[in-house]
Amino acid sequence: MPKQIHTISILGAGKLGITIAQLALKAGYRVYIAGSGSEDKIRLSVSILAPGAVPTTTEHAAQMGDIVILALPLGKYRTIPSRKLKEKLVIDAMNYWWEVDGNADALKNPQTSTSEIVQQYLPDARVVKAISHMGYHHLRDEAQAAGAQNRKALAIAGNHRSDVEQVSEFIDRLGFDPLPIGELHNGRQLEPGHAAFGANLSKDSLASLLL
Amino acid sequence: MAHTRAIPSKKILFGIDSFGDIPKDDTEKLMTHAAAIRQVIDEAVLADKLGIDVIALGEHHRSDFAISSPETVLAGIATLTKNIKLASGVTVLSSDDPVRVFERFSTVDALSNGRAQIILGRGSFTESFPLFGYELTDYEVLFEEKLELMAEVLKEKPVTWSGTVRPSLANIDIFPKTESGHIHTSIGVGGSPQSVVRTAKYGFPLMLAIIGGSPDRFIPYVQLYEEAAKQFGTSAKEVGVHSPGFIADSDKEASDTAWPAYKLYHDRIGRTRGWPKVTREQFDREIQHGSLYIGSPETVAKKIARTITLLDVSRFDMVYGFGPLPSKSRLKMIELYGKEVIPLVRKLVDEATKKTT
C-alpha cells in the first residue's frame, strides 16, 4: 500500500514555491516550506502570502513531507539534502533557465532530461517531474475543482506507476487534470524549448502536444 | 481587505515606460536604434505637454531595444521638458556601480531642475551580467550589497562602506549633490517575496512589475510590504504598478494593431527562454483577464482603475510601444492616454472610493 499523502514540503520559497504552497493549503494539505537560508528569513512572507504553511529549514522540510517538491532554481540542485530524501516521493518542478542558472553545460545536455540529472543526484529518492511546464501565475489563476469546464492539465513524468498515481491524485486535488506522459526521461518534452513548455491547456490539448 | 492608504485620485501619478523598442516608420521599415531613441524623446516631449507625470526608461543590452543607457536619454529629455519626472525603469543595479548610478542621476537631476528618479531592480533580463563580467551565481550578493551601498550614497553625505563586490569607501563624498538633497528612488519587483521584504527593509517605495496574469495575486504583496516595514521599523512608502498596454480609438483597432507587434516581441524573447509561440487566443485572454491594458480609452481606463483600487496603489506606469509598432500609433496612444484615459481613471477611482467609504 502506498503511503497516504497528508504533508507536502516545498523546497524554495520564491514565486513558484509560494504559489504551490497556496494551492496545497487550499487543497487541505499540511505544508512545510523552506527557503535557501534560515526559516526566519521567510517567516513574514510565508505568513502573509501562504498563511498556514510552516516555514522551516530545508533539512527539516525534506524530512517531514510525504511528498517533497523541488521549487528552487535548478542551478542550485546540489544544495538539496540528498540523504534526507531516501525513499521519498519527490516532485521536480524545476527548469533550466540560463538567465538565472547561468550557462551550465551539463544542464543543457540534449540527451538527458534535467529531472534525470536530479534523480542521479538523489539516487534513493523517487523523482517525478511535474508542475514544471505552466507559469506560476497561470498555476495560481487557473486552479479549478475537478470537472470544471476549461480545467487545465499538468503533465507528469515518472518511472514508477504507483508514484505517478500518487502525484496524479495530488495534482487533481491542487486543481488540475493530471496527464501522465510516461517515464522520467519523457520530462524532456516539458522543458524550455520543447512543445509543452509554458503550456496552459486542457488535458486533450496538452495530450495532443505530448502523446 | 484592509485599505490602509485610500489615495485620493488627484494624488495618483501616471507614467509611461519604454525600453526603447524599435518602431516602424511611415514606410513600414524598422527604424534604426538612433531613430528609435529620438522617437522616445518626441514621445516624452508630447507626454510632458499632456501633463503625464513621469516617463521611465528601462535598460537592456540587446538588439531589439535601443536603450542601454537610460539616463543619457533622460538627459536629452530633461532640457526639452518642464514638468515630467524622468525615471529609469529599471536600472540593473547588480551589474552597475552605485556611485556611478548616483553621479549620473544627480546630473540628470541638475539638468531637469530636480525631476530625476531612479527605479532600481535586478532586471528580468540578465544579459548585462556576462557583458560586464559578472557571474550569475553572484546574482543575490551583487544586488544585496550594492543596494546597501546605494542606500548610503543616496543620503548625499560622506560614505563609509565595505563589502565584497566593490572596493570599500572610507568617508568619501560623491558629487554633484542635488539641490533637494534627495533623488526619489524606488525598487522594481517582479513577484519575488524576498525582494518585497528587502524593499521594506530599506524603506524604499515599491514598484510592482505585473507583466502577466491577473493583478489580483499582488494584493498580499502590498500587505507584505507594509507588514515588513513595520517589523523593520521603517515606513512603507508609495506603491506603484508597471504593466504593458496599448490604446487606440476602438478595442478592435487597438488589439489588431498591437497583436502582430506583441507576437514578434513575445516570440523573439521566447526563443531565448524556451517559450512556445504565443497564440492570438492567449493574447486575447491576457487582455480580458490578465495584465495587458489594450483597447479603447474607456476599456483601458476601466482596467487601470480596477487595478489601482484593487491594490490601493498611487502610481500606474504603462509600458507602451512593445515590439515593432508604427511610430505614429505610439504617439497617438500617448495622446489618448494623456487626454482621455488618465482623466477617466481619476473619475472612476473617485467613484469607487466613494462607494467603499
Side-chain angles (χ1 to χ4, degrees), chain A residues 13-15 18 41-42 44-45 48-49 97-100 102 136-138 140-142 152 192-195 197-198 200, chain B residues 124-126 136 190-194 197 212-214 216-217 220-221 223-224 227-228 231 272-276 285-286:
Chain A
K15 300 170 201 176
I18 289 283
K41 252 178 84 180
I42 60 167
L44 178 66
S45 46
I48 290 170
L49 302 177
W97 203 244
W98 68 268
E99 287 172 274
V100 175
Y136 74 96
H137 59 269
H138 285 137
R140 189 232 174 245
D141 290 346
E142 300 278 5
K152 300 299 166 62
H194 295 260
F197 184 68
N200 173 21
Chain B
S124 66
F125 293 82
T126 53
L136 278 165
S192 149
Q194 287 318 107
V197 171
S214 78
D216 306 47
R217 76 179 190 279
Y221 282 80
Q223 200 191 344
L224 173 62
E227 283 302 317
Q231 287 203 2
T272 71
R273 294 186 171 181
W275 295 335
R285 195 167 52 211
E286 194 61 35

Side-chain angles (χ1 to χ4, degrees), chain B residues 23-26 31 39 43 324-333:
Chain B
K24 284 185 187 164
D25 65 17
D26 293 349
M31 287 185 175
Q39 166 88 15
E43 289 161 350
L325 281 164
S327 62
K328 271 190 185 153
S329 42
R330 280 174 44 162
L331 285 159
K332 172 82 184 290
M333 151 178 181

Side-chain angles (χ1 to χ4, degrees), chain A residues 113 129 133 155 157 181-197 206-207 209-211:
Chain A
S113 68
K129 188 173 188 75
H133 63 77
I181 59 162
E183 305 221 319
L184 195 59
H185 182 75
N186 294 354
R188 185 90 191 139
Q189 292 175 266
L190 311 176
E191 294 181 4
H194 295 260
F197 184 68
L206 186 61
L209 278 181
L210 287 167
L211 301 176

Side-chain angles (χ1 to χ4, degrees), chain B residues 259-279 282:
Chain B
W259 162 243
Y262 179 82
K263 178 157 176 63
L264 273 166
Y265 172 83
H266 186 283
D267 290 351
R268 195 166 43 204
I269 296 168
R271 265 202 301 280
T272 71
R273 294 186 171 181
W275 295 335
K277 295 202 161 109
V278 65
T279 65
Q282 288 168 328

Side-chain angles (χ1 to χ4, degrees), chain B residues 296-308:
Chain B
S296 67
E298 195 188 347
T299 300
V300 170
K302 280 183 183 158
K303 198 169 164 77
I304 295 174
R306 179 183 179 275
T307 299
I308 288 176

